[in-house]
Amino acid sequence: MSEKVKLYDLSKCTGCRGCQLACKQWNQLPAKQTYNRGTYQNPPDLQPNTWMLIRFQEVSNGNGDVKWLFRKEACMHCTDAACVKVCPSGALHYTKYGTVALDEKKCIGCKECIFACPFNIPRYDPATDKVAKCDMCFSRIDNGLEPACVKACPTGALQFGDKDEMIKLAYQRVKELGGDASVYGDKYVKGTHMIYVLPEKAGLYEGLPEKPRVPLSVLAWKDLLKPLSLLATGGVLLGAFLHYILHGPKDTSGDQAGQGGGE
Ligand code: SF4
Ligand code: SF4
């Protein structure tokens, strides 16, 4: 099964939020009351009921005026996903398309993925004691459809397809744009399955890490501590098994007799 990638060209995004609404609708995520906070940013951040949003940002254009930067924020679907590494219940897992999905039924609400994610994506819902995040519309792509956000985008800012093709398109577009334009997402954390075409330098976009890294504690857990703990658990089980082979099952008849005698 070929790896699928969502390509997001920020230079074509008009901030219409069609994608944000489509995500809500397809995933049946309930709306909540919002407030005018003197900004177009709505809601202010990702939430358990908002798996993707458009970030609105005003920056100087160098001529004393301001211009808008729009950025669609959602799970990046890392190839080497820290959230999958730390998830102790197997709730977070890779799909056959290379994307990262979440089995809500298996989530135990430990929040390990929240601390591990280099992009600050999963959100915890105290009402359900579970985390939530985008699964790149697995139910749609597994039925040959594109993700709901891609389907809804009226400007062609979002595309979906095979990984190699999407990365090729991203580099073509960066060449067309020139200046500070760059491809973001194919280099860090062994690549992601959401690729950005950034018209401006990565450092300019709020909340977008310039060089995303998996926290060292996560690498230590996966590469050192987890095998050791498994070894320790395995040692205990092996010891118990050997004891059973060498000495047979524990004879508790004497214990029961002793308990009975005390009554
Ligand atoms: S962006 Fe965060 S939640 Fe999404 S796959 Fe990567 S580590 Fe997991
Ligand atoms: S639907 Fe397309 S143009 Fe509209 S906000 Fe989303 S990505 Fe941007």
Side-chain angles (χ1 to χ4, degrees):
M1 191 57 66
S2 64
E3 282 184 59
K4 298 291 184 196
V5 156
K6 189 161 39 174
L7 173 60
Y8 173 45
D9 182 346
L10 282 73
S11 71
K12 294 183 181 169
C13 179
T14 59
C16 72
R17 287 193 277 224
C19 50
Q20 194 173 311
L21 283 178
C23 177
K24 279 239 174 210
Q25 198 175 34
W26 178 259
N27 294 298
Q28 298 184 328
L29 301 172
K32 283 195 182 151
Q33 179 70 51
T34 57
Y35 303 93
N36 187 340
R37 298 157 42 256
T39 157
Y40 282 97
Q41 186 65 58
N42 186 23
D45 201 359
L46 293 175
Q47 298 170 344
N49 65 323
T50 303
W51 298 350
M52 71 131 298
L53 53 73
I54 294 291
R55 289 220 169 270
F56 284 67
Q57 194 184 344
E58 283 177 65
V59 293
S60 164
N61 69 357
N63 301 325
D65 289 332
V66 289
K67 64 176 177 180
W68 282 111
L69 292 186
F70 303 121
R71 180 172 73 87
K72 170 176 149 55
E73 183 175 78
C75 176
M76 298 292 285
H77 297 276
C78 309
T79 303
D80 190 17
C83 61
V84 175
K85 272 190 174 137
V86 296
C87 180
S89 68
L92 283 154
H93 59 278
Y94 298 110
T95 73
K96 57 190 169 183
Y97 305 105
T99 52
V100 176
L102 169 71
D103 183 344
E104 247 202 39
K105 289 194 278 309
K106 287 189 183 167
C107 178
I108 55 171
C110 69
K111 303 184 209 151
E112 290 298 325
C113 53
I114 294 178
F115 303 120
C117 175
F119 297 99
N120 183 29
I121 297 299
R123 290 293 185 272
Y124 175 70
D125 186 353
T128 57
D129 191 24
K130 291 179 189 296
V131 294
K133 73 163 200 79
C134 146
D135 70 351
M136 219 197 269
C137 286
F138 179 79
S139 58
R140 288 178 62 91
I141 61 179
D142 207 33
N143 282 290
L145 300 170
E146 53 197 1
C149 56
V150 180
K151 179 82 181 160
C153 180
T155 66
L158 284 164
Q159 292 184 71
F160 177 74
D162 290 345
K163 185 178 172 183
D164 293 348
E165 194 196 337
M166 290 299 111
I167 291 179
K168 204 169 137 201
L169 283 178
Y171 276 94
Q172 270 171 16
R173 180 64 181 156
V174 159
K175 218 168 152 189
E176 280 167 26
L177 290 170
D180 287 332
S182 65
V183 174
Y184 180 98
D186 60 333
K187 298 177 201 73
Y188 304 114
V189 289
K190 298 192 182 159
T192 61
H193 292 79
M194 171 130 104
I195 302 287
Y196 285 153
V197 170
L198 298 180
E200 310 281 350
K201 286 191 175 125
L204 205 58
Y205 296 91
E206 271 168 15
L208 187 68
E210 254 183 283
K211 292 183 181 171
R213 279 195 195 96
V214 176
L216 276 179
S217 53
V218 172
L219 296 176
W221 163 245
K222 171 72 179 172
D223 298 333
L224 190 67
L225 299 176
K226 198 171 177 184
L228 278 179
S229 73
L230 287 176
L231 210 63
T233 312
V236 171
L237 290 175
L238 187 66
F241 180 68
L242 282 177
H243 182 91
Y244 183 87
I245 296 291
L246 294 173
H247 303 289
K250 190 179 175 191
D251 182 0
T252 55
S253 54
D255 296 349
Q256 278 161 3
Q259 280 167 12
E263 280 174 1

